[in-house]
Amino acid sequence: MKKIFLLLAVVGSAILSSCEGDRGPQGPAGTNIESEVFELRNVDFAFDNTEGYIIRNDLNPQILLADNILIYRMTGTIDSNTPIWQLIPRTLFLQEGELDYDYDFSRVDFTIYAGGTFNLALTPEYINNQTFRIVIIPGFLSNKGTKSVNTNDYNAVINYYGINDKKITILN
């Protein structure tokens, strides 16, 4: 009896797996999502009475809910082809006091903040002509995690996620 059921199961699955029906409707167009790098070059923070010094920019196209963003500030250069990138949030301890860079983001935009324990207008070199790199890491890469990569190291992040930072889109 068991052999008959086994034989019917094998024959039935072979017949059903070779069935073909009408083709279904075309699904929605897919989105080609990949890791990207954007750059804000030589931008000034604007003063907002509510939020302090900010830089706000839209994301176009919008990112997905599971996507993540890392933002790096250029702190200097080794030579004309080798910038030095520092992950924010970051606190700088200056003679005038503490200066903090931070950011937040949504699917549609991001905001970079500069705040401190002193009047930032006294140190325009920290709020004017700033350059930032915005690294978008798609959610489908989240299975790689960020614990395996030193996110403080811009080049390590670019290499780990296979991001081509030679094709950088300038946002300003």
Side-chain angles (χ1 to χ4, degrees), residues 8 13 17 36 44 47 105 134 145 148 164 170:
L8 288 174
S13 66
S17 67
E36 294 182 80
D44 296 342
F47 186 77
F105 69 94
I134 296 88
S148 302
N164 180 1
I170 307 300

Side-chain angles (χ1 to χ4, degrees), residues 44-55 114-115 118-121 127-128:
D44 296 342
F45 281 87
F47 186 77
D48 178 271
N49 286 328
T50 306
E51 299 183 87
Y53 287 95
I54 63 169
I55 296 170
F118 64 97
N119 180 357
L120 299 186
I127 57 173
N128 294 329

Side-chain angles (χ1 to χ4, degrees), residues 107-127:
R107 293 183 59 220
V108 299
D109 66 2
F110 64 89
T111 304
I112 303 171
Y113 302 91
T117 60
F118 64 97
N119 180 357
L120 299 186
L122 298 174
T123 54
E125 66 271 23
Y126 291 100
I127 57 173

Side-chain angles (χ1 to χ4, degrees), residues 19-143:
C19 290
E20 199 172 304
D22 292 336
R23 187 174 190 130
Q26 176 70 30
T31 307
N32 184 12
I33 301 168
E34 54 186 66
S35 302
E36 294 182 80
V37 178
F38 297 98
E39 189 169 290
L40 289 171
R41 193 175 286 166
N42 300 319
V43 295
D44 296 342
F45 281 87
F47 186 77
D48 178 271
N49 286 328
T50 306
E51 299 183 87
Y53 287 95
I54 63 169
I55 296 170
R56 181 170 287 128
N57 212 307
D58 292 334
L59 291 169
N60 188 10
Q62 296 177 3
I63 62 174
L64 300 177
L65 285 174
D67 292 350
N68 195 9
I69 290 181
L70 298 173
I71 298 182
Y72 296 84
R73 178 179 163 264
M74 189 171 75
T75 60
T77 58
I78 294 172
D79 57 45
S80 61
N81 294 318
T82 312
I84 301 168
W85 298 106
Q86 188 175 68
L87 180 67
I88 61 174
R90 178 59 118 199
T91 299
L92 303 178
F93 299 97
L94 307 173
Q95 185 175 8
E96 296 82 1
E98 291 182 18
L99 175 107
D100 298 306
Y101 292 104
D102 203 352
Y103 71 97
D104 64 30
F105 69 94
S106 70
R107 293 183 59 220
V108 299
D109 66 2
F110 64 89
T111 304
I112 303 171
Y113 302 91
T117 60
F118 64 97
N119 180 357
L120 299 186
L122 298 174
T123 54
E125 66 271 23
Y126 291 100
I127 57 173
N128 294 329
N129 295 320
Q130 299 297 301
T131 298
F132 295 92
R133 287 253 171 113
I134 296 88
V135 180
I136 297 177
I137 301 171
F140 70 85
L141 291 177
S142 63
N143 63 347

